[in-house]
Amino acid sequence: MPELRRFVQVDVFTATPLKGNPLAVVVDAAGLSDDDMAAFARWTNLSETTFLLPPTDPAADYRVRIFTPGGELPFAGHPTLGSAHAFLASGGDAKKPGEVVQQCAIGLVRVKRDGARLAFAAPPLQRSGPVDDAALRAQAIAALRIAPEALLDLVWVDNGPGWMAARLRDAAAVQALQPDFVTMQGLKLGVVGAWPAGGDCQFEVRAFVPDLGVPEDPVTGSLNAGLALWLQGAGLAGDHYVASQGAALGRAGRVHVRREAEATWIGGDVTPLIHGQVRL
């Protein structure tokens, strides 16, 4: 029998409503089946919908399951920040002051306050290094509709979802992309290019995941986390930078990256939009 459950909708990676990436969160998800969660995620038709559950790991404050309209993800960034915000705003009691520990399919993810923002510790890459497969490289070039020489790097930045990242000559080239989503089937492809020095943002990012029912994701924490580990490790980015994402969709997402001794933190503002109940 369906029951009323607490429900929150937030806008992540923005302090301005409607300019980030929306997330739907069912706070009281215990008792829902896999089919219930998948059906509700298809109904919201957002890039991700999350469901908060009691943790099974004693070190965690809550457990989350993350669904797109096309299936479940083991980890995603903007759902991590939005779910942590929903947990705290709904009266969740974290075990450690100033830090929330999220349990998800890839393990435990730490989330902390970073001034007015929340930030999660970038999980380690499960797959990294250059994409050596010639067929995958050709598919990525064709899907992005770019000349082969326009592709400066094509690397794995997979922290669970399966991201591959392409680096172009600059941010303008990233913004100008008009991808072929039919050719892109089977890929989870991120693209990054640098802005000229002196601006508010250092990189422009776009994320394409047509197989999950999200041809272009507005602002993508997991991709930015993988990019940060690669860019910083390769000497292409400093310890602190800001990436912009979402302009092609009318958004103005801002992802704040900060490398410290213990971790690289991926931060952003979370703006509440809706707080109420849903019958599930």
Side-chain angles (χ1 to χ4, degrees), residues 131-232:
V131 177
D132 295 324
D133 187 307
L136 280 179
R137 187 178 183 89
Q139 183 184 2
I141 289 169
L144 294 175
R145 292 175 168 158
I146 59 175
E149 60 271 18
L151 184 62
L152 302 184
D153 294 290
L154 186 65
V155 298
W156 293 106
V157 292
D158 180 12
N159 48 20
W163 289 113
M164 178 191 299
R167 184 169 71 96
L168 304 187
R169 68 180 182 274
D170 56 29
V174 175
Q175 288 190 326
L177 289 172
Q178 296 184 334
D180 179 345
F181 291 118
V182 174
T183 301
M184 198 179 288
Q185 292 296 320
L187 300 182
K188 295 174 183 175
L189 186 56
V191 189
V192 62
W195 284 104
D200 293 335
C201 297
Q202 286 69 58
F203 293 96
E204 182 72 19
V205 172
R206 294 179 72 178
F208 306 114
V209 279
D211 281 4
L212 294 178
V214 188
E216 181 164 2
D217 193 41
V219 201
T220 317
S222 61
L223 172 60
N224 275 282
L227 284 171
L229 295 181
W230 170 58
L231 290 169
Q232 290 176 334

Side-chain angles (χ1 to χ4, degrees), residues 39-263:
F40 187 63
R42 289 192 297 270
W43 181 82
T44 67
N45 201 34
L46 298 174
S47 56
E48 279 102 0
T49 299
T50 64
F51 302 85
L52 303 192
L53 300 158
T56 58
D57 188 317
D61 294 304
Y62 65 88
R63 181 165 66 97
V64 68
R65 295 185 65 183
I66 305 167
F67 284 79
T68 74
E72 188 171 5
L73 294 177
F75 169 74
H78 102 273
T80 292
L81 296 186
S83 295
H85 173 92
F87 171 79
L88 294 169
S90 300
D93 186 17
K95 295 179 175 69
K96 294 181 180 179
E99 180 176 299
V100 175
V101 179
Q102 170 182 285
Q103 180 185 0
C104 58
I106 65 163
L108 300 181
V109 179
R110 295 165 58 204
V111 183
K112 70 172 185 177
R113 291 282 182 188
D114 184 12
R117 304 183 181 97
L118 290 172
F120 67 87
L125 297 181
Q126 299 179 6
R127 188 175 187 182
S128 60
V131 177
D132 295 324
D133 187 307
L136 280 179
R137 187 178 183 89
Q139 183 184 2
I141 289 169
L144 294 175
R145 292 175 168 158
I146 59 175
E149 60 271 18
L151 184 62
L152 302 184
D153 294 290
L154 186 65
V155 298
W156 293 106
V157 292
D158 180 12
N159 48 20
W163 289 113
M164 178 191 299
R167 184 169 71 96
L168 304 187
R169 68 180 182 274
D170 56 29
V174 175
Q175 288 190 326
L177 289 172
Q178 296 184 334
D180 179 345
F181 291 118
V182 174
T183 301
M184 198 179 288
Q185 292 296 320
L187 300 182
K188 295 174 183 175
L189 186 56
V191 189
V192 62
W195 284 104
D200 293 335
C201 297
Q202 286 69 58
F203 293 96
E204 182 72 19
V205 172
R206 294 179 72 178
F208 306 114
V209 279
D211 281 4
L212 294 178
V214 188
E216 181 164 2
D217 193 41
V219 201
T220 317
S222 61
L223 172 60
N224 275 282
L227 284 171
L229 295 181
W230 170 58
L231 290 169
Q232 290 176 334
L236 297 170
D239 286 347
H240 315 301
Y241 70 83
V242 179
S244 52
Q245 189 179 347
L249 301 174
R251 314 292 175 85
R254 295 293 184 268
V255 181
H256 297 259
V257 175
R258 178 183 297 272
R259 181 167 62 180
E260 298 175 353
E262 58 174 314

